[in-house]
Structures are given as C-alpha cells and as structure tokens.
Amino acid sequence: MNLNISGHHVEVTLPLREYVLAKLKRVERHFDHLISAEVILSVDKLQQKAEATVHASGANLHAEAINGDMYAAIDLLMDKLDQQTRKHKEKLRNHHHKDAIKRMSLQ
C-alpha cells in the first residue's frame, strides 16, 4: 500500500508517522485490498485535525476527526475509517445474499 503522510502547520515527526502506520494496520486487517492512503495532519489554533483518504478496490473512503490532542484525533480518524472499511467489506460480501434467501423461501 502506498502511504503519504503530510502535515499542514505541523511537523510530521517520526513518532507521529509510526503511530499513523500502526493504526492503519488495524484498517488493513479488516480489508487487505487497500491501494493507497493519504493522511493529512493539521493544526488550527487549539484544534488538531487528522483527515485521510483511502483508495481501496471498489471505493474511495474519506474521514476526518478533530480533537485537542493529535494522537486522539488520529484514534478517532482510524475508528471512522475502520467502520467504513467494515461496511464496505460487508457490502462486497453480502451482495446477493438476501436474494438467495428470498428464493430459497419461495421454493
């Protein structure tokens, strides 16, 4: 997976980069068909903002989170992305499941 981490009004240090990588592993665990991810960390006065766009096979997932602490914002962001990837995976897996159950009940 290609990963691009950038900062806007904040320096992306090695611990921040490693923290984002560790949290993205959780998203990859649920859905391993991720092509690329772009993470932008920014600071506006007292608000820390983390946003990400993940390109997966069949979908582009985008989420953002704002918190007073950058690490907490990254945690919230990854929770949102994790939920979106699980929902996308369920859509792919259960595409025709309801139709099959309906046909079985009619017979």
Side-chain angles (χ1 to χ4, degrees), residues 44-62:
D44 278 335
K45 295 186 181 182
L46 298 176
Q47 292 183 339
Q48 314 281 330
K49 181 178 177 182
E51 61 182 296
T53 303
V54 176
H55 304 285
S57 59
N60 291 330
L61 310 173
H62 178 78

Side-chain angles (χ1 to χ4, degrees), residues 6 12 16 19 21 32 35 37 50 54 56 69 77 87 102 105 107:
S6 60
V12 181
L16 269 176
Y19 193 73
L21 282 171
D32 58 347
I35 299 168
V54 176
D69 180 36
L77 171 73
K87 186 175 179 179
K102 190 183 293 185
S105 65
Q107 293 179 353

Side-chain angles (χ1 to χ4, degrees), residues 18-78:
E18 289 175 352
Y19 193 73
V20 170
L21 282 171
K23 292 297 181 172
L24 269 176
K25 295 289 183 193
R26 188 176 81 185
V27 175
E28 282 183 318
R29 182 182 66 205
H30 289 295
F31 192 70
D32 58 347
H33 300 293
L34 301 178
I35 299 168
S36 66
E38 298 172 19
V39 179
I40 300 171
L41 307 175
S42 62
V43 176
D44 278 335
K45 295 186 181 182
L46 298 176
Q47 292 183 339
Q48 314 281 330
K49 181 178 177 182
E51 61 182 296
T53 303
V54 176
H55 304 285
S57 59
N60 291 330
L61 310 173
H62 178 78
E64 62 182 47
I66 299 173
N67 201 318
D69 180 36
M70 183 60 78
Y71 289 98
I74 293 170
D75 286 339
L76 290 172
L77 171 73
M78 293 305 162

